[in-house]
């Protein structure tokens, strides 16, 4: 009946004993709001506790610094860690789920949520595999692969948010722009692999020694930036000097050769609305960095704007 080649065919037979529902979520999955529009596309907000407030106010658990978002815009209520209710707190521009304006609704896996007029989120349950994948997408878009610091795109987005918040609340905001001295000479003398090691070492140092509430970024090439939240000028100067002297004390070993490096730093501080725009703010820090580079290097320059 099967013919003489039945035995050969049996080697390629696949026997399915159980059906597997690939859509079934892991019991370990956690609820998230994942931002799918705006400056922080890809950012994951894990939903936990009994309730979480969403809005522009600094007391919110999910802070959205967008002019179309109210200070106290919406609130998530969590029941048994699985049932998530979204409630509008009387916001100006409303809360929408799957295109429909809502005052209060229970979220379902896959729902699209609009907060205000332009910030979209996807509500979903994610297990560890999903979380790792989503985080990898976010890192690819926002993290510099060599230094493991935030990249320039993230820097511009984050500084814009911090600048806006500081002007509204009249809290100080300081910006450090720093540059590795004679970096081209390092590349010319030791090679580009040594240059990459220097950049990586500086990135690791900043990542370990800058407090979590501050933001360290690779601005481009051999230039780095640090956003210092709620830090006034004198305190920023102290931080910059500590970073400068610590990096000067480092010895980088490349193929049995010791490489010593120094940095130059320029600082600008936003206080009492002394800068009109974010471009003015960055330009002032850059001007101070330029002055530090052209007055001897390995120094910090800070001058308060009038």
């Amino acid at each position: 009946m099967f013919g003489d080649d039945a035995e050969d065919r049996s080697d390629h037979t696949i026997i399915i004993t159980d059906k597997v529902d690939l859509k079934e979520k892991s019991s370990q999955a956690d609820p998230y709001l994942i931002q799918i529009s705006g400056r922080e596309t890809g950012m994951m907000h894990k939903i936990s506790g009994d309730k979480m407030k969403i809005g522009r106010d600094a007391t919110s658990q999910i802070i959205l610094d967008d002019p179309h978002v109210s200070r106290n815009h919406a609130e998530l209520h969590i029941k048994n860690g699985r049932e998530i209710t979204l409630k509008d707190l009387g916001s100006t521009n409303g809360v929408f789920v799957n295109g429909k304006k809502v005052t209060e609704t229970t979220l379902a896996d896959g729902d699209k949520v609009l907060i205000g007029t332009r910030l979209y989120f996807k509500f979903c349950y994610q297990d560890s595999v999903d979380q790792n994948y989503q985080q990898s997408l976010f890192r690819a878009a926002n993290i510099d692969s060599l230094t493991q610091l935030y990249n320039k795109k993230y820097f511009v987005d984050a500084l814009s948010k911090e600048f806006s918040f500081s002007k509204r609340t009249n809290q100080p905001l300081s910006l450090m722009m720093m540059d590795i001295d004679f970096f081209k000479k390092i590349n010319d003398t030791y090679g580009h692999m040594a240059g990459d090691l220097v950049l990586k070492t500086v990135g690791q140092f900043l990542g370990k020694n800058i407090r979590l509430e501050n933001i360290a970024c690779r601005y481009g090439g051999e230039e780095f930036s640090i956003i210092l939240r709620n830090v006034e000028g004198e305190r920023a100067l102290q931080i910059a000097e500590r970073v400068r002297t610590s990096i000067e004390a480092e010895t980088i070993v490349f193929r049995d050769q010791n490489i010593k490096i120094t940095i130059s730093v320029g600082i600008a501080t936003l206080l009492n609305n002394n800068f009109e725009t974010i471009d003015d703010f960055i330009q002032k820090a850059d001007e101070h960095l330029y002055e530090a580079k052209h007055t001897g290097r390995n120094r910090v320059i800070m001058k308060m704007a009038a």
Side-chain angles (χ1 to χ4, degrees):
M1 178 179 176
F2 295 106
D4 295 334
D5 61 342
E7 183 175 347
D8 292 336
R9 280 188 241 163
S10 66
D11 290 341
H12 303 284
T13 301
I14 299 174
I15 301 175
I16 300 176
T17 57
D18 293 295
K19 289 185 178 180
V20 178
D21 186 356
L22 297 178
K23 295 183 179 180
E24 184 178 348
K25 290 291 184 181
S26 166
S27 60
Q28 300 300 316
D30 298 310
Y32 283 85
L33 277 180
I34 300 176
Q35 193 162 335
I36 57 176
S37 71
R39 292 194 302 264
E40 295 188 328
T41 296
M43 178 69 79
M44 299 175 64
H45 301 279
K46 185 176 181 178
I47 301 172
S48 59
D50 296 324
K51 62 182 179 179
M52 298 178 69
K53 188 168 66 175
I54 303 171
R56 284 193 359 251
D57 192 83
T59 62
S60 299
Q61 285 71 47
I62 300 178
I63 300 175
L64 305 177
D65 191 19
D66 183 284
H68 297 254
V69 173
S70 298
R71 293 187 182 278
N72 299 294
H73 198 106
E75 197 166 58
L76 293 162
H77 292 261
I78 303 98
K79 184 178 180 181
N80 299 325
R82 303 298 297 176
E83 184 177 322
I84 314 295
T85 300
L86 177 62
K87 181 179 180 181
D88 189 342
L89 295 180
S91 65
T92 301
N93 292 309
V95 175
F96 298 80
V97 177
N98 299 326
K100 296 181 179 179
K101 189 172 184 179
V102 300
T103 54
E104 185 172 348
T105 188
T106 298
L107 296 175
D109 191 31
D111 279 348
K112 302 296 191 303
V113 178
L114 172 62
I115 303 294
T117 62
R118 55 187 180 183
L119 294 187
Y120 284 89
F121 298 82
K122 180 180 179 180
F123 172 76
C124 59
Y125 290 92
Q126 296 207 322
D127 60 21
S128 59
V129 174
D130 295 326
Q131 294 168 30
N132 290 337
Y133 175 68
Q134 192 66 41
Q135 289 287 2
S136 70
L137 294 179
F138 180 79
R139 290 185 64 83
N142 297 287
I143 302 297
D144 176 66
S145 59
L146 179 62
T147 64
Q148 296 301 301
L149 298 178
Y150 289 114
N151 59 22
K152 185 175 181 179
K153 169 188 172 295
Y154 188 92
F155 163 80
V156 173
D157 293 344
L159 185 62
S160 177
K161 177 188 293 186
E162 298 299 333
F163 188 85
S164 174
F165 179 79
S166 292
K167 285 180 77 74
R168 286 201 314 270
T169 61
N170 200 31
Q171 293 183 11
L173 176 70
S174 290
L175 173 63
M176 290 171 49
M177 301 296 287
M178 52 182 284
D179 190 273
I180 299 173
D181 297 327
F182 301 110
F183 184 72
K184 183 177 183 301
K185 185 177 180 180
I186 294 172
N187 277 333
D188 291 344
T189 303
Y190 302 102
H192 288 279
M193 290 182 66
D196 285 350
L197 178 60
V198 167
L199 293 171
K200 184 177 180 179
T201 301
V202 172
Q204 288 174 339
F205 175 85
L206 295 179
K208 290 178 181 177
N209 292 279
I210 297 300
R211 298 173 67 176
L212 289 177
E213 63 266 28
N214 300 318
I215 303 172
C217 309
R218 184 184 181 189
Y219 191 73
E222 67 271 27
E223 192 170 357
F224 296 81
S225 59
I226 303 174
I227 302 170
L228 302 170
R229 296 166 168 164
N230 199 23
V231 173
E232 44 76 32
E234 287 301 320
R235 177 62 179 146
L237 180 60
Q238 294 172 5
I239 294 171
E241 280 291 353
R242 187 176 70 243
V243 170
R244 184 193 65 79
T245 56
S246 296
I247 288 178
E248 184 181 20
E250 288 280 326
T251 298
I252 300 171
V253 180
F254 176 75
R255 294 178 178 172
D256 297 326
Q257 298 182 87
N258 293 336
I259 302 175
K260 301 291 290 185
I261 63 170
T262 61
I263 61 169
S264 298
V265 184
I267 301 173
T269 296
L270 172 66
L271 188 63
N272 297 325
N273 288 318
N274 54 341
F275 292 102
E276 287 294 325
T277 69
I278 186 175
D279 289 336
D280 296 336
F281 191 39
I282 296 173
Q283 181 179 341
K284 183 58 65 175
D286 264 335
E287 288 175 1
H288 291 163
L289 171 59
Y290 181 86
E291 183 175 344
K293 297 286 284 186
H294 287 80
T295 55
R297 294 183 173 85
N298 191 23
R299 62 190 59 198
V300 178
I301 297 292
M302 183 199 73
K303 298 176 182 177
M304 294 299 294

PDB file of all heavy atoms in Angstrom, residues 136-159:
ATOM      1  N   SER A 136      15.312  46.529  23.025  1.00  0.00           N
ATOM      2  CA  SER A 136      16.353  46.554  21.993  1.00  0.00           C
ATOM      3  C   SER A 136      16.018  47.573  20.911  1.00  0.00           C
ATOM      4  O   SER A 136      16.913  48.247  20.384  1.00  0.00           O
ATOM      5  CB  SER A 136      16.527  45.159  21.377  1.00  0.00           C
ATOM      6  OG  SER A 136      15.411  44.794  20.595  1.00  0.00           O
ATOM      7  N   LEU A 137      14.738  47.716  20.582  1.00  0.00           N
ATOM      8  CA  LEU A 137      14.326  48.727  19.608  1.00  0.00           C
ATOM      9  C   LEU A 137      14.588  50.127  20.152  1.00  0.00           C
ATOM     10  O   LEU A 137      15.079  51.011  19.431  1.00  0.00           O
ATOM     11  CB  LEU A 137      12.837  48.569  19.268  1.00  0.00           C
ATOM     12  CG  LEU A 137      12.422  47.302  18.526  1.00  0.00           C
ATOM     13  CD1 LEU A 137      10.923  47.310  18.287  1.00  0.00           C
ATOM     14  CD2 LEU A 137      13.171  47.178  17.204  1.00  0.00           C
ATOM     15  N   PHE A 138      14.258  50.325  21.425  1.00  0.00           N
ATOM     16  CA  PHE A 138      14.474  51.641  22.032  1.00  0.00           C
ATOM     17  C   PHE A 138      15.965  51.972  22.079  1.00  0.00           C
ATOM     18  O   PHE A 138      16.374  53.088  21.764  1.00  0.00           O
ATOM     19  CB  PHE A 138      13.880  51.663  23.447  1.00  0.00           C
ATOM     20  CG  PHE A 138      14.055  52.998  24.135  1.00  0.00           C
ATOM     21  CD1 PHE A 138      13.222  54.058  23.840  1.00  0.00           C
ATOM     22  CD2 PHE A 138      15.069  53.177  25.068  1.00  0.00           C
ATOM     23  CE1 PHE A 138      13.387  55.288  24.459  1.00  0.00           C
ATOM     24  CE2 PHE A 138      15.246  54.405  25.697  1.00  0.00           C
ATOM     25  CZ  PHE A 138      14.390  55.465  25.390  1.00  0.00           C
ATOM     26  N   ARG A 139      16.782  50.979  22.451  1.00  0.00           N
ATOM     27  CA  ARG A 139      18.217  51.209  22.528  1.00  0.00           C
ATOM     28  C   ARG A 139      18.801  51.515  21.145  1.00  0.00           C
ATOM     29  O   ARG A 139      19.662  52.385  21.010  1.00  0.00           O
ATOM     30  CB  ARG A 139      18.922  49.996  23.140  1.00  0.00           C
ATOM     31  CG  ARG A 139      18.651  49.802  24.618  1.00  0.00           C
ATOM     32  CD  ARG A 139      19.496  48.648  25.171  1.00  0.00           C
ATOM     33  NE  ARG A 139      20.917  48.960  25.089  1.00  0.00           N
ATOM     34  CZ  ARG A 139      21.572  49.681  25.974  1.00  0.00           C
ATOM     35  NH1 ARG A 139      20.942  50.200  27.013  1.00  0.00           N
ATOM     36  NH2 ARG A 139      22.865  49.905  25.833  1.00  0.00           N
ATOM     37  N   ALA A 140      18.332  50.821  20.137  1.00  0.00           N
ATOM     38  CA  ALA A 140      18.838  51.060  18.786  1.00  0.00           C
ATOM     39  C   ALA A 140      18.567  52.488  18.339  1.00  0.00           C
ATOM     40  O   ALA A 140      19.365  53.081  17.608  1.00  0.00           O
ATOM     41  CB  ALA A 140      18.215  50.066  17.808  1.00  0.00           C
ATOM     42  N   ALA A 141      17.448  53.047  18.782  1.00  0.00           N
ATOM     43  CA  ALA A 141      17.073  54.398  18.368  1.00  0.00           C
ATOM     44  C   ALA A 141      17.704  55.484  19.227  1.00  0.00           C
ATOM     45  O   ALA A 141      17.876  56.614  18.765  1.00  0.00           O
ATOM     46  CB  ALA A 141      15.548  54.551  18.402  1.00  0.00           C
ATOM     47  N   ASN A 142      18.083  55.152  20.475  1.00  0.00           N
ATOM     48  CA  ASN A 142      18.461  56.201  21.411  1.00  0.00           C
ATOM     49  C   ASN A 142      19.823  56.056  22.077  1.00  0.00           C
ATOM     50  O   ASN A 142      20.278  56.982  22.741  1.00  0.00           O
ATOM     51  CB  ASN A 142      17.399  56.298  22.525  1.00  0.00           C
ATOM     52  CG  ASN A 142      16.039  56.686  21.985  1.00  0.00           C
ATOM     53  OD1 ASN A 142      15.799  57.814  21.614  1.00  0.00           O
ATOM     54  ND2 ASN A 142      15.128  55.713  21.935  1.00  0.00           N
ATOM     55  N   ILE A 143      20.470  54.903  21.920  1.00  0.00           N
ATOM     56  CA  ILE A 143      21.743  54.655  22.619  1.00  0.00           C
ATOM     57  C   ILE A 143      22.901  54.593  21.628  1.00  0.00           C
ATOM     58  O   ILE A 143      22.809  53.919  20.601  1.00  0.00           O
ATOM     59  CB  ILE A 143      21.671  53.339  23.425  1.00  0.00           C
ATOM     60  CG1 ILE A 143      20.524  53.389  24.449  1.00  0.00           C
ATOM     61  CG2 ILE A 143      23.001  53.080  24.137  1.00  0.00           C
ATOM     62  CD1 ILE A 143      20.664  54.455  25.512  1.00  0.00           C
ATOM     63  N   ASP A 144      23.977  55.293  21.943  1.00  0.00           N
ATOM     64  CA  ASP A 144      25.195  55.223  21.143  1.00  0.00           C
ATOM     65  C   ASP A 144      25.866  53.877  21.392  1.00  0.00           C
ATOM     66  O   ASP A 144      26.181  53.531  22.535  1.00  0.00           O
ATOM     67  CB  ASP A 144      26.131  56.370  21.529  1.00  0.00           C
ATOM     68  CG  ASP A 144      27.460  56.291  20.806  1.00  0.00           C
ATOM     69  OD1 ASP A 144      27.476  56.443  19.581  1.00  0.00           O
ATOM     70  OD2 ASP A 144      28.489  56.058  21.486  1.00  0.00           O
ATOM     71  N   SER A 145      26.107  53.113  20.336  1.00  0.00           N
ATOM     72  CA  SER A 145      26.574  51.735  20.494  1.00  0.00           C
ATOM     73  C   SER A 145      27.982  51.649  21.076  1.00  0.00           C
ATOM     74  O   SER A 145      28.310  50.682  21.757  1.00  0.00           O
ATOM     75  CB  SER A 145      26.530  51.009  19.147  1.00  0.00           C
ATOM     76  OG  SER A 145      27.349  51.669  18.189  1.00  0.00           O
ATOM     77  N   LEU A 146      28.834  52.643  20.825  1.00  0.00           N
ATOM     78  CA  LEU A 146      30.213  52.585  21.302  1.00  0.00           C
ATOM     79  C   LEU A 146      30.319  52.940  22.776  1.00  0.00           C
ATOM     80  O   LEU A 146      30.914  52.212  23.567  1.00  0.00           O
ATOM     81  CB  LEU A 146      31.101  53.517  20.474  1.00  0.00           C
ATOM     82  CG  LEU A 146      32.575  53.565  20.882  1.00  0.00           C
ATOM     83  CD1 LEU A 146      33.231  52.188  20.720  1.00  0.00           C
ATOM     84  CD2 LEU A 146      33.323  54.606  20.053  1.00  0.00           C
ATOM     85  N   THR A 147      29.734  54.059  23.165  1.00  0.00           N
ATOM     86  CA  THR A 147      29.887  54.548  24.546  1.00  0.00           C
ATOM     87  C   THR A 147      28.806  54.064  25.484  1.00  0.00           C
ATOM     88  O   THR A 147      28.949  54.158  26.696  1.00  0.00           O
ATOM     89  CB  THR A 147      29.889  56.081  24.566  1.00  0.00           C
ATOM     90  OG1 THR A 147      28.604  56.555  24.111  1.00  0.00           O
ATOM     91  CG2 THR A 147      30.979  56.642  23.661  1.00  0.00           C
ATOM     92  N   GLN A 148      27.691  53.568  24.921  1.00  0.00           N
ATOM     93  CA  GLN A 148      26.528  53.130  25.691  1.00  0.00           C
ATOM     94  C   GLN A 148      25.852  54.279  26.432  1.00  0.00           C
ATOM     95  O   GLN A 148      25.058  54.070  27.360  1.00  0.00           O
ATOM     96  CB  GLN A 148      26.894  52.009  26.679  1.00  0.00           C
ATOM     97  CG  GLN A 148      27.356  50.728  26.007  1.00  0.00           C
ATOM     98  CD  GLN A 148      26.298  50.163  25.081  1.00  0.00           C
ATOM     99  OE1 GLN A 148      25.180  49.846  25.497  1.00  0.00           O
ATOM    100  NE2 GLN A 148      26.633  50.037  23.795  1.00  0.00           N
ATOM    101  N   LEU A 149      26.141  55.500  26.009  1.00  0.00           N
ATOM    102  CA  LEU A 149      25.423  56.671  26.518  1.00  0.00           C
ATOM    103  C   LEU A 149      24.282  56.984  25.551  1.00  0.00           C
ATOM    104  O   LEU A 149      24.202  56.443  24.449  1.00  0.00           O
ATOM    105  CB  LEU A 149      26.358  57.879  26.621  1.00  0.00           C
ATOM    106  CG  LEU A 149      27.552  57.759  27.562  1.00  0.00           C
ATOM    107  CD1 LEU A 149      28.397  59.026  27.490  1.00  0.00           C
ATOM    108  CD2 LEU A 149      27.107  57.506  28.998  1.00  0.00           C
ATOM    109  N   TYR A 150      23.382  57.886  25.969  1.00  0.00           N
ATOM    110  CA  TYR A 150      22.350  58.335  25.045  1.00  0.00           C
ATOM    111  C   TYR A 150      22.993  59.045  23.858  1.00  0.00           C
ATOM    112  O   TYR A 150      24.059  59.643  23.971  1.00  0.00           O
ATOM    113  CB  TYR A 150      21.375  59.279  25.744  1.00  0.00           C
ATOM    114  CG  TYR A 150      20.478  58.595  26.754  1.00  0.00           C
ATOM    115  CD1 TYR A 150      20.578  58.876  28.112  1.00  0.00           C
ATOM    116  CD2 TYR A 150      19.528  57.663  26.341  1.00  0.00           C
ATOM    117  CE1 TYR A 150      19.764  58.241  29.038  1.00  0.00           C
ATOM    118  CE2 TYR A 150      18.697  57.029  27.253  1.00  0.00           C
ATOM    119  CZ  TYR A 150      18.828  57.323  28.600  1.00  0.00           C
ATOM    120  OH  TYR A 150      18.025  56.698  29.507  1.00  0.00           O
ATOM    121  N   ASN A 151      22.334  58.970  22.686  1.00  0.00           N
ATOM    122  CA  ASN A 151      22.870  59.617  21.491  1.00  0.00           C
ATOM    123  C   ASN A 151      22.354  61.054  21.355  1.00  0.00           C
ATOM    124  O   ASN A 151      21.592  61.537  22.191  1.00  0.00           O
ATOM    125  CB  ASN A 151      22.550  58.781  20.243  1.00  0.00           C
ATOM    126  CG  ASN A 151      21.052  58.579  20.046  1.00  0.00           C
ATOM    127  OD1 ASN A 151      20.220  59.336  20.546  1.00  0.00           O
ATOM    128  ND2 ASN A 151      20.693  57.539  19.299  1.00  0.00           N
ATOM    129  N   LYS A 152      22.782  61.721  20.277  1.00  0.00           N
ATOM    130  CA  LYS A 152      22.424  63.133  20.106  1.00  0.00           C
ATOM    131  C   LYS A 152      20.922  63.317  19.931  1.00  0.00           C
ATOM    132  O   LYS A 152      20.347  64.303  20.422  1.00  0.00           O
ATOM    133  CB  LYS A 152      23.172  63.720  18.904  1.00  0.00           C
ATOM    134  CG  LYS A 152      22.941  65.215  18.737  1.00  0.00           C
ATOM    135  CD  LYS A 152      23.779  65.796  17.615  1.00  0.00           C
ATOM    136  CE  LYS A 152      23.549  67.289  17.476  1.00  0.00           C
ATOM    137  NZ  LYS A 152      24.388  67.878  16.399  1.00  0.00           N
ATOM    138  N   LYS A 153      20.285  62.392  19.231  1.00  0.00           N
ATOM    139  CA  LYS A 153      18.829  62.487  19.057  1.00  0.00           C
ATOM    140  C   LYS A 153      18.131  62.520  20.407  1.00  0.00           C
ATOM    141  O   LYS A 153      17.262  63.359  20.664  1.00  0.00           O
ATOM    142  CB  LYS A 153      18.321  61.297  18.238  1.00  0.00           C
ATOM    143  CG  LYS A 153      16.810  61.136  18.216  1.00  0.00           C
ATOM    144  CD  LYS A 153      16.408  59.838  17.561  1.00  0.00           C
ATOM    145  CE  LYS A 153      14.917  59.578  17.721  1.00  0.00           C
ATOM    146  NZ  LYS A 153      14.527  59.372  19.143  1.00  0.00           N
ATOM    147  N   TYR A 154      18.517  61.603  21.284  1.00  0.00           N
ATOM    148  CA  TYR A 154      17.890  61.562  22.606  1.00  0.00           C
ATOM    149  C   TYR A 154      18.239  62.828  23.389  1.00  0.00           C
ATOM    150  O   TYR A 154      17.399  63.373  24.104  1.00  0.00           O
ATOM    151  CB  TYR A 154      18.353  60.327  23.371  1.00  0.00           C
ATOM    152  CG  TYR A 154      17.593  60.121  24.664  1.00  0.00           C
ATOM    153  CD1 TYR A 154      16.447  59.337  24.698  1.00  0.00           C
ATOM    154  CD2 TYR A 154      18.005  60.735  25.847  1.00  0.00           C
ATOM    155  CE1 TYR A 154      15.734  59.159  25.864  1.00  0.00           C
ATOM    156  CE2 TYR A 154      17.300  60.570  27.021  1.00  0.00           C
ATOM    157  CZ  TYR A 154      16.163  59.776  27.019  1.00  0.00           C
ATOM    158  OH  TYR A 154      15.458  59.630  28.181  1.00  0.00           O
ATOM    159  N   PHE A 155      19.484  63.285  23.261  1.00  0.00           N
ATOM    160  CA  PHE A 155      19.913  64.497  23.955  1.00  0.00           C
ATOM    161  C   PHE A 155      19.022  65.686  23.597  1.00  0.00           C
ATOM    162  O   PHE A 155      18.541  66.410  24.474  1.00  0.00           O
ATOM    163  CB  PHE A 155      21.370  64.807  23.599  1.00  0.00           C
ATOM    164  CG  PHE A 155      21.792  66.209  23.914  1.00  0.00           C
ATOM    165  CD1 PHE A 155      22.142  66.578  25.202  1.00  0.00           C
ATOM    166  CD2 PHE A 155      21.831  67.169  22.914  1.00  0.00           C
ATOM    167  CE1 PHE A 155      22.519  67.876  25.495  1.00  0.00           C
ATOM    168  CE2 PHE A 155      22.209  68.473  23.191  1.00  0.00           C
ATOM    169  CZ  PHE A 155      22.553  68.830  24.489  1.00  0.00           C
ATOM    170  N   VAL A 156      18.795  65.894  22.307  1.00  0.00           N
ATOM    171  CA  VAL A 156      17.983  67.026  21.869  1.00  0.00           C
ATOM    172  C   VAL A 156      16.559  66.909  22.409  1.00  0.00           C
ATOM    173  O   VAL A 156      15.975  67.889  22.895  1.00  0.00           O
ATOM    174  CB  VAL A 156      17.982  67.122  20.330  1.00  0.00           C
ATOM    175  CG1 VAL A 156      17.001  68.193  19.858  1.00  0.00           C
ATOM    176  CG2 VAL A 156      19.387  67.439  19.818  1.00  0.00           C
ATOM    177  N   ASP A 157      16.004  65.710  22.334  1.00  0.00           N
ATOM    178  CA  ASP A 157      14.650  65.494  22.849  1.00  0.00           C
ATOM    179  C   ASP A 157      14.583  65.739  24.352  1.00  0.00           C
ATOM    180  O   ASP A 157      13.684  66.412  24.854  1.00  0.00           O
ATOM    181  CB  ASP A 157      14.185  64.068  22.534  1.00  0.00           C
ATOM    182  CG  ASP A 157      13.988  63.828  21.052  1.00  0.00           C
ATOM    183  OD1 ASP A 157      13.917  64.818  20.301  1.00  0.00           O
ATOM    184  OD2 ASP A 157      13.911  62.651  20.646  1.00  0.00           O
ATOM    185  N   ALA A 158      15.535  65.173  25.091  1.00  0.00           N
ATOM    186  CA  ALA A 158      15.528  65.288  26.550  1.00  0.00           C
ATOM    187  C   ALA A 158      15.777  66.724  26.990  1.00  0.00           C
ATOM    188  O   ALA A 158      15.111  67.230  27.906  1.00  0.00           O
ATOM    189  CB  ALA A 158      16.592  64.365  27.154  1.00  0.00           C
ATOM    190  N   LEU A 159      16.717  67.401  26.337  1.00  0.00           N
ATOM    191  CA  LEU A 159      17.017  68.788  26.724  1.00  0.00           C
ATOM    192  C   LEU A 159      15.823  69.696  26.453  1.00  0.00           C
ATOM    193  O   LEU A 159      15.534  70.606  27.231  1.00  0.00           O
ATOM    194  CB  LEU A 159      18.251  69.298  25.982  1.00  0.00           C
ATOM    195  CG  LEU A 159      18.719  70.699  26.396  1.00  0.00           C
ATOM    196  CD1 LEU A 159      19.117  70.730  27.870  1.00  0.00           C
ATOM    197  CD2 LEU A 159      19.896  71.154  25.532  1.00  0.00           C
TER     198      LEU A 159
END
